[in-house]
Amino acid sequence: NNRNVYHQRWLSKIDVKMNEKVLQDKLVNKIHWDFGYFAQSLENEFLFQGVQLGIKIPLIRKHEKTKAEMLEVERSMLENQMEEQLNQNLGLMHTLMRKKEQLEIGLSHYERDVKPSLEKIREMADKRLQSGDINYLEYKLIMDQWFDRVLNHLNMLKNYNETIIELQFLNISI
């Protein structure tokens, strides 16, 4: 349903061009009738009245045919633009799907393997600092490495969330 909303914009543009072409084709072969009535006065007491009848028979239709051909070309261009946009979105969607899969692998690896070992490292560093086995500088270096790994995980999680949002937007757009 969401995909239809996106395509509806393109399809409505194409429909407009097709309707214009149909109207233009009808105008090419149509005979135009003009009918008019006039009343003019040069003096207050004297009134000229008349009826005018005109007929326009298209003999040379080059302009109308050219316009119809131009409308057909515009419609074709819109179809090509729609197809190109769809292909770009599908390509981007496949790229984002691969990126999402890679990020999921990285996130699951962090949760399964890295996170437990990081917790052990932090607990051990806290105990060693409290017992005096390491000085504050060594503790700070260990915690900086710990923090860098946690920050890398958070950046990966942010990238994952952004990728999901982009995929959702593309699902609406395609």
Short mmCIF file of all heavy atoms in Angstrom, two decimals, residues 27 41 44 61 80 83 99 105 107 119 127 147 149 155 158 163 168:
data_model
loop_
_atom_site.label_atom_id
_atom_site.label_comp_id
_atom_site.label_asym_id
_atom_site.label_seq_id
_atom_site.Cartn_x
_atom_site.Cartn_y
_atom_site.Cartn_z
N LEU A 27 -8.04 17.21 -31.04
CA LEU A 27 -8.05 18.55 -31.62
C LEU A 27 -7.49 18.58 -33.04
O LEU A 27 -7.85 19.44 -33.83
CB LEU A 27 -7.25 19.52 -30.73
CG LEU A 27 -7.89 19.90 -29.41
CD1 LEU A 27 -6.93 20.77 -28.61
CD2 LEU A 27 -9.19 20.63 -29.64
N SER A 41 -22.84 50.92 -32.49
CA SER A 41 -23.54 52.17 -32.76
C SER A 41 -22.52 53.28 -32.89
O SER A 41 -21.68 53.46 -32.02
CB SER A 41 -24.52 52.46 -31.64
OG SER A 41 -25.06 53.75 -31.82
N ASN A 44 -26.38 57.72 -31.71
CA ASN A 44 -27.34 57.23 -30.73
C ASN A 44 -28.55 56.56 -31.36
O ASN A 44 -29.13 55.65 -30.79
CB ASN A 44 -27.81 58.38 -29.83
CG ASN A 44 -26.70 58.86 -28.93
OD1 ASN A 44 -25.75 58.13 -28.72
ND2 ASN A 44 -26.81 60.07 -28.44
N ARG A 61 -1.82 20.28 -40.35
CA ARG A 61 -1.86 19.92 -38.93
C ARG A 61 -0.47 19.71 -38.35
O ARG A 61 -0.31 18.98 -37.39
CB ARG A 61 -2.68 18.66 -38.76
CG ARG A 61 -4.08 18.79 -39.24
CD ARG A 61 -4.82 17.49 -39.03
NE ARG A 61 -6.03 17.52 -39.83
CZ ARG A 61 -6.37 16.58 -40.68
NH1 ARG A 61 -5.63 15.53 -40.85
NH2 ARG A 61 -7.48 16.70 -41.37
N ASN A 80 10.60 6.80 -17.93
CA ASN A 80 12.02 6.48 -17.74
C ASN A 80 12.53 7.02 -16.41
O ASN A 80 13.31 6.34 -15.72
CB ASN A 80 12.85 7.03 -18.89
CG ASN A 80 12.60 6.29 -20.18
OD1 ASN A 80 12.12 5.16 -20.18
ND2 ASN A 80 12.92 6.92 -21.30
N GLU A 83 11.24 4.76 -13.66
CA GLU A 83 11.98 3.50 -13.64
C GLU A 83 13.39 3.69 -13.08
O GLU A 83 13.86 2.87 -12.28
CB GLU A 83 12.05 2.94 -15.07
CG GLU A 83 12.57 1.53 -15.15
CD GLU A 83 11.64 0.51 -14.54
OE1 GLU A 83 10.42 0.71 -14.55
OE2 GLU A 83 12.15 -0.51 -14.05
N LYS A 99 24.37 -3.75 4.69
CA LYS A 99 24.94 -3.01 5.82
C LYS A 99 24.26 -3.42 7.12
O LYS A 99 24.91 -3.63 8.14
CB LYS A 99 24.79 -1.51 5.58
CG LYS A 99 25.38 -0.64 6.66
CD LYS A 99 25.19 0.83 6.33
CE LYS A 99 25.73 1.71 7.44
NZ LYS A 99 25.50 3.13 7.15
N ILE A 105 25.59 -8.64 12.71
CA ILE A 105 26.65 -9.58 13.08
C ILE A 105 27.58 -8.96 14.11
O ILE A 105 27.93 -9.58 15.12
CB ILE A 105 27.43 -10.04 11.81
CG1 ILE A 105 26.54 -10.92 10.93
CG2 ILE A 105 28.70 -10.78 12.20
CD1 ILE A 105 27.11 -11.20 9.55
N LEU A 107 26.93 -6.44 16.16
CA LEU A 107 26.22 -6.21 17.43
C LEU A 107 26.05 -7.52 18.21
O LEU A 107 26.21 -7.55 19.44
CB LEU A 107 24.87 -5.55 17.18
CG LEU A 107 24.91 -4.10 16.70
CD1 LEU A 107 23.53 -3.63 16.27
CD2 LEU A 107 25.47 -3.19 17.79
N GLU A 119 33.09 -6.42 30.86
CA GLU A 119 32.63 -6.33 32.25
C GLU A 119 33.67 -6.93 33.19
O GLU A 119 33.94 -6.38 34.26
CB GLU A 119 31.28 -7.01 32.42
CG GLU A 119 30.13 -6.28 31.76
CD GLU A 119 29.96 -4.86 32.29
OE1 GLU A 119 30.07 -4.64 33.51
OE2 GLU A 119 29.73 -3.96 31.46
N LYS A 127 39.02 -3.78 41.09
CA LYS A 127 39.60 -4.52 42.22
C LYS A 127 41.09 -4.28 42.35
O LYS A 127 41.62 -4.10 43.45
CB LYS A 127 39.30 -6.02 42.06
CG LYS A 127 37.86 -6.39 42.30
CD LYS A 127 37.64 -7.88 42.10
CE LYS A 127 36.16 -8.22 42.23
NZ LYS A 127 35.91 -9.64 41.95
N PHE A 147 36.36 2.16 27.64
CA PHE A 147 35.42 3.16 27.16
C PHE A 147 35.41 3.23 25.63
O PHE A 147 34.34 3.37 25.01
CB PHE A 147 35.76 4.54 27.75
CG PHE A 147 34.82 5.62 27.35
CD1 PHE A 147 33.53 5.67 27.87
CD2 PHE A 147 35.19 6.59 26.43
CE1 PHE A 147 32.65 6.66 27.50
CE2 PHE A 147 34.31 7.58 26.05
CZ PHE A 147 33.04 7.61 26.59
N ARG A 149 35.95 0.81 23.52
CA ARG A 149 35.19 -0.34 23.01
C ARG A 149 33.69 -0.14 23.20
O ARG A 149 32.90 -0.48 22.32
CB ARG A 149 35.66 -1.62 23.69
CG ARG A 149 37.03 -2.04 23.22
CD ARG A 149 37.39 -3.37 23.79
NE ARG A 149 38.70 -3.78 23.32
CZ ARG A 149 39.32 -4.86 23.74
NH1 ARG A 149 38.74 -5.65 24.63
NH2 ARG A 149 40.50 -5.17 23.27
N ASN A 155 28.39 3.49 18.71
CA ASN A 155 28.41 4.02 17.33
C ASN A 155 27.84 2.99 16.35
O ASN A 155 27.11 3.35 15.42
CB ASN A 155 29.82 4.43 16.92
CG ASN A 155 30.23 5.74 17.52
OD1 ASN A 155 29.40 6.60 17.78
ND2 ASN A 155 31.52 5.90 17.76
N LYS A 158 24.15 3.03 16.80
CA LYS A 158 23.60 4.24 16.15
C LYS A 158 23.51 4.03 14.64
O LYS A 158 22.49 4.33 14.01
CB LYS A 158 24.47 5.45 16.47
CG LYS A 158 24.03 6.72 15.79
CD LYS A 158 25.02 7.84 16.12
CE LYS A 158 25.22 8.74 15.00
NZ LYS A 158 26.23 8.62 14.06
N THR A 163 20.36 2.94 9.78
CA THR A 163 20.13 2.06 8.62
C THR A 163 18.69 1.56 8.61
O THR A 163 18.05 1.54 7.56
CB THR A 163 21.12 0.88 8.66
OG1 THR A 163 22.46 1.39 8.67
CG2 THR A 163 20.93 -0.02 7.46
N GLN A 168 13.24 1.78 6.32
CA GLN A 168 11.81 2.04 6.45
C GLN A 168 11.36 3.13 5.51
O GLN A 168 10.29 3.05 4.91
CB GLN A 168 11.47 2.39 7.91
CG GLN A 168 11.56 1.20 8.83
CD GLN A 168 11.34 1.59 10.29
OE1 GLN A 168 11.42 2.74 10.66
NE2 GLN A 168 11.07 0.58 11.11
#
